[in-house]
Amino acid sequence: MQQSDWLSQKEFSLNESNAFWTKEAEKLDWITSWKTLQSGSFNTGDIKWFEEGELNVCYNCVDRHLDKYADKTALIWEGDSPDDYKAISFDTLHKQVMRFANVLKKIGVKKGDVVCIYLPLILEAPIAMLACARIGAIHSVIFAGFSPQSIEDRVNDAASKFIITADGGFRGGKKVALKENVDIAIKNCPTVEKVLVVEHAKNDIQLEHGRDYLYHLLANEVGEQCDVEPMNAEDPLFILYTSGSTGKPKGVVHTTAGYLLYASLTHREIFGVRENDVYWCTADVGWITGHSYVVYGPLANRTTTLIYEGVPCYPAKSRFFDIVDKYQVNIFYTAPTAIRALQAEGDEAVLANTSRDSLRVLGSVGEPINREAWYWYHDKVGKSNCSIVDTWWQTETGGIMISPGFAHKQKPGSAMKSFLGIEAAILNKDTSKEISGALSAHDYGALAIKKPWPGMMRTLWGDHERYMDTYFNVYKGYYYPGDGAYRDQEGDIWISGRLDDIISIAGHRIGTAEVESVIDSHHAVAETAVIGIPDAIKGEVIYAYVTLERDSIPTDQLKKDIIAWVRKTYGPIATIKVIQWTDELPKTRSGKIMRRILRKIAHFEEAQIGDVSTLADPECVPALIEGRIDYR
Ligand code: WT7
């Protein structure tokens, strides 16, 4: 799309939004047409799209392409070792999904059941997701880097009876255990009845009779035909857990029609996908990016989508771009943290031996892309021939909400424009009023969305009240994502970061409360408060203030133990850079930890701490500054 076309589309999408969404929805294949386009509101929290319509997501991603494109490559898998790779056509994908779906039925999965998926990035991951969608089961993908505790929390929250896992995976030349993590988790998951194990790494694993089944054995016992289940537009397609600023992870629920429509539309328009493109989004299917822009969006658009099991710099520093050259990738979508990590390895090692001439569009997601990384991505990776497409969105939004898109001019660091059909506002944080004029990086407001869109989540699994309180009761009449933003003189949007207690480590959202409860559960620890501090590669990492139990001795070894404990209990993504011992945390008289003060101290901004008279013991502040560790 040219920019002028995009502008007229944008106008149409906002002025005649019903006609716009109707036109887009007609691009999907429906079994029964919908009766009501949209109902419900942000105030009542009962949003529905395409009521009474029926369709099947798997059919839309696979079956409908078979007529003319059966032989087109649907998925390319590149293993951890460059010698391991496979490509499958839409026809083969169709057959494998049907077989997988029949195996799910055989172990007792029924429409509406929640199936947890804990797999490495192998072909069976998208196949399992599509198989669930085909028979109307709700998948809940758990990132394979998560710990047994995280599996346990997610399985129990959704009372899931089924887990799909693998005997292991490969990352950077090493084998990763997966089934063992499931075995540990399952001890505390009373609802689990069946575990399906895909063979991949040939790890030694234990199988429990009557509970654990090897996929390939069952696959031989079932047929290759499996009809699609007609699903209501509003039936849940999947649950995906994401961190909140307090408490346990939230089970974000996405539904069938609205989600698929929004994922496919944004994928098509924002990246400007063409028929013969090879498209590679580096996200794992354990995150929303992997759901919307590895699996559902691309496949609904019959785009060839690539998945890579390994890590960016193995066996060579140039691995990412070796893969780009090997498959002639046209669209590449990754995160600023990966861009910065590659940049830090040096151009010689990362870029010199690759051509990257096939690239046309370079996407970025997860956090604001800093100027330095933007220019390296644009000038070096893309040789100044590609558009850089920043994309702001969230697990909750289902798809990209703010992005320059390939049709726009380039503005390093700005996410720029709300997408077709989406109206964004910036609110004054104190008065809740919309700000129409320009602001600056130091004077941002709260980002908000003004009207329902098809791809938005409909609820949090089992906790609709938390859904309302977190997203709709903060600023009445608006969807509040928790981010700050400002508009520049030209009306372009810049995202300034989270406004709540969420730390973004390598683009992954981590709730301070979750990490604190893990550190608190260490036997030597009495109390903890964690803060995000800047990191050149990961964006943010953790600065932890820890108060020990009276009889514990503060040693460097204990710091190492606590860091290892968090890696094991939460998962390696929770990177702790600094632990500062403290006898006391700053608290109000009612016992609330004053994070604001801890943040100022950890950021070396003690001059701005301001009034501490509301603290129960103001004397703890100088002691905290005194004991601060200089990580800079
Ligand atoms: C949070 C959502 C969307 C998939 C990846 C993360 C931050 C995401 C950007 C961007 C600035 C961004 C926001 C958002 N974020 N993309 N392009 N520019 N910030 O999904 O785990 O749900 O996290 O990531 O803070 O709220 P998520």
Side-chain angles (χ1 to χ4, degrees), residues 363-576:
S364 170
V365 61
E367 58 183 305
I369 174 163
N370 51 307
R371 285 178 75 83
E372 215 193 340
W374 194 100
Y375 278 108
W376 187 75
Y377 204 25
H378 179 268
D379 298 354
K380 299 288 179 55
V381 175
K383 301 177 170 175
S384 304
N385 292 324
C386 301
S387 342
I388 305 293
V389 175
D390 190 7
T391 59
W392 177 87
W393 59 297
Q394 311 178 288
T395 307
E396 294 88 335
T397 67
I400 297 164
M401 300 292 282
I402 301 179
S403 170
F406 80 107
H408 280 287
K409 76 168 188 187
Q410 306 275 283
K411 197 181 257 192
S414 169
M416 294 183 76
K417 307 282 184 202
S418 61
F419 184 65
L420 302 173
I422 304 297
E423 262 184 278
I426 291 167
L427 308 178
N428 181 307
K429 284 176 281 163
D430 303 317
T431 65
S432 309
K433 295 264 178 303
E434 281 187 37
I435 301 168
S436 50
L439 290 174
S440 75
H442 302 292
D443 185 23
Y444 51 82
L447 182 63
I449 307 295
K450 293 171 76 165
K451 280 205 297 196
W453 68 101
M456 63 182 287
M457 66 178 159
R458 301 296 193 267
T459 190
L460 294 177
W461 189 260
D463 202 347
H464 200 68
E465 197 178 319
R466 190 176 179 195
Y467 171 78
M468 293 307 292
D469 286 346
T470 313
Y471 305 102
F472 303 104
N473 290 342
V474 183
Y475 297 101
K476 277 285 177 197
Y478 296 91
Y479 168 78
Y480 171 56
D483 282 287
Y486 62 96
R487 262 189 237 274
D488 64 19
Q489 303 288 347
E490 293 168 306
D492 289 324
I493 297 171
W494 297 69
I495 308 291
S496 51
R498 300 287 313 183
L499 298 178
D500 54 10
D501 284 327
I502 286 194
I503 306 178
S504 167
I505 302 178
H508 300 309
R509 239 208 268 187
I510 297 185
T512 47
E514 276 178 81
V515 178
E516 285 162 4
S517 82
V518 170
I519 302 179
D520 289 346
S521 69
H522 187 283
H523 63 84
V525 173
E527 194 174 39
T528 315
V530 304
I531 300 293
I533 53 169
D535 180 79
I537 306 277
K538 296 191 171 190
E540 278 189 301
V541 288
I542 294 168
Y543 190 112
Y545 297 89
V546 176
T547 306
L548 293 176
E549 296 284 2
R550 204 177 290 264
D551 54 357
S552 305
I553 299 155
T555 60
D556 284 347
Q557 186 53 44
L558 182 54
K559 286 188 181 179
K560 288 191 187 130
D561 287 354
I562 292 172
I563 290 169
W565 171 251
V566 173
R567 281 180 67 88
K568 179 166 157 274
T569 317
Y570 186 98
I573 55 177
T575 315
I576 298 179

Side-chain angles (χ1 to χ4, degrees), residues 38-96:
Q38 196 256 313
S39 68
S41 74
F42 286 169
N43 282 326
T44 45
D46 52 352
I47 287 144
K48 294 195 170 86
W49 284 83
F50 313 110
E51 263 169 283
E52 293 176 62
E54 284 185 314
L55 74 174
N56 183 282
V57 166
C58 179
Y59 183 89
N60 275 275
C61 290
V62 184
D63 304 49
R64 68 164 168 165
H65 308 318
L66 297 178
D67 228 10
K68 294 205 189 102
Y69 295 90
D71 296 332
K72 181 174 174 176
T73 302
L75 279 160
I76 298 169
W77 170 77
E78 167 90 359
D80 187 55
S81 153
D83 299 330
D84 293 335
Y85 53 92
K86 235 183 274 176
I88 60 171
S89 64
F90 278 101
D91 189 47
T92 306
L93 177 62
H94 183 228
K95 295 195 172 100
Q96 295 195 1

Side-chain angles (χ1 to χ4, degrees), residues 139-177:
H139 59 69
S140 167
V141 182
I142 302 170
F143 173 54
F146 275 143
S147 64
Q149 181 66 53
S150 308
I151 302 172
E152 181 188 317
D153 292 344
R154 285 158 177 78
V155 169
N156 286 341
D157 188 73
S160 179
K161 290 188 273 187
F162 306 96
I163 304 179
I164 303 171
T165 187
D167 58 354
F170 298 94
R171 286 180 76 75
K174 295 194 193 81
K175 280 191 181 184
V176 194

